Amino acid sequence: MNIIETANITKRFKPLTALDNISIRVGEGEIYGFLGLNGAGKTTLIRILLGMVTPTAGAVKLFGKSLDKRFDRWNSIGYLVETPCAYPNLSVVENLHVYHSLRQLTDKKLIANIIERLNLAHYADTKAKHLSLGNQQRLGLAKALMHSPKLLILDEPVNGLDPEGIVEIRGLLKELSASGTTVFLSSHILGEISKLASRIAIIHYGKLLDELNADELHERLIKKTLVKTNDNKRAAACLNAAQYHAALGDGEIAVSDKKAVEKPEEVAKRLVENGFSVKQLYVFTENLEQYFLRTIRGKENV
């Protein structure tokens, strides 16, 4: 079942087109990474999904229901958009009580449970205005998660968190996904997205450039074997003579053939047998950040 469906979503803020015919589908239990530079349109789409902004054209369905005035699944959605909001003069627990009432929830144990789950017990009686940026983020996440939503929409969820906190939230999101919660995640920390997302989309100047799952991404990443020898120029010629595609780089040889990536030991063997001393050999794989930049730069050069 698709939890999120958008059909040709367009949003114009004259004279700017923030979103241009965006169509995506996000299945149940997926962690969907939505990537783009600042101003690409990520937050605009998130606000449309949450009913905060009306699209100029196109349609949205959540849980298979049209997002209109009759939509009645808001209590199945949790969200954190940009900067987490809180009542500054209320404590953490008081803020959560307010949110509990606004959601019209009845189980008071939810507050204690989410405080423990987000490691906020030590700060339960601290006023929100005195919290660190990381703990303000935890409070925002606590509000988003308290009612056990089936769809979680997060914009920069690890902003301000320390490395330990990032690992905690990563584990929490994976746990939620495994239990069937759908996570729509926007972040500029692409290394974190690569550890979480089962599918990603890349948006640039309001246009959807790419959408692919983890396996498809792995296939598209540039991979090559990098070698350093005692004589790179002659070693590259030796490899080319052996039907490899070897190119001299900055102090190393890049061998881009699939056989070189899958069996780098054969490259080393070929070089040693021909009298070369192999000082370094490793397989380089492009990461998500590099793939993202290559994708948007390629579009800019079209």
Side-chain angles (χ1 to χ4, degrees), residues 4-103:
I4 298 175
E5 291 184 57
T6 73
N8 305 115
I9 289 292
T10 296
K11 181 62 183 178
R12 298 187 184 94
F13 300 99
K14 292 185 178 180
L16 173 71
T17 298
L19 296 172
D20 189 357
N21 288 304
I22 301 296
S23 296
I24 62 171
R25 288 178 172 80
V26 184
E28 185 174 8
E30 278 193 324
I31 299 180
Y32 189 94
F34 197 54
L35 313 180
L37 300 175
N38 290 338
K42 304 187 304 296
T43 301
T44 299
L45 182 62
I46 285 174
R47 291 183 178 278
I48 287 173
L49 294 178
L50 291 171
M52 298 175 178
V53 172
T54 302
T56 306
V60 178
K61 285 186 178 181
L62 302 179
F63 304 99
K65 295 187 172 186
S66 294
L67 189 60
D68 54 27
K69 293 180 180 179
R70 295 170 296 176
F71 185 75
D72 60 358
R73 293 291 303 272
W74 292 116
N75 251 13
S76 298
I77 302 172
Y79 63 91
L80 176 62
V81 182
E82 296 184 310
T83 305
C85 296
Y87 294 98
N89 289 311
L90 297 184
S91 69
V92 166
V93 70
E94 288 169 340
N95 265 282
L96 292 176
H97 272 289
V98 170
Y99 198 72
H100 187 277
S101 296
L102 290 173
R103 281 280 184 186

Side-chain angles (χ1 to χ4, degrees), residues 210-228:
D210 210 350
E211 187 182 33
L212 62 169
N213 62 35
D215 289 338
E216 290 168 333
L217 174 62
H218 181 74
E219 287 299 314
R220 293 193 198 178
L221 295 178
I222 291 174
K223 305 174 188 70
K224 52 191 172 183
T225 295
L226 300 177
V227 190
K228 287 184 181 180

Side-chain angles (χ1 to χ4, degrees), residues 35 97 101 109 156 200 202 254 271 288:
L35 313 180
H97 272 289
S101 296
K109 292 179 182 177
E156 303 294 352
I200 67 162
I202 295 175
L271 291 171
L288 178 57

Side-chain angles (χ1 to χ4, degrees), residues 224-252:
K224 52 191 172 183
T225 295
L226 300 177
V227 190
K228 287 184 181 180
T229 73
N230 58 322
D231 188 337
N232 286 347
K233 186 174 181 180
R234 287 180 55 243
C238 172
L239 291 172
N240 283 322
Q243 304 304 308
Y244 285 100
H245 186 272
L248 284 173
D250 186 14
E252 61 190 7

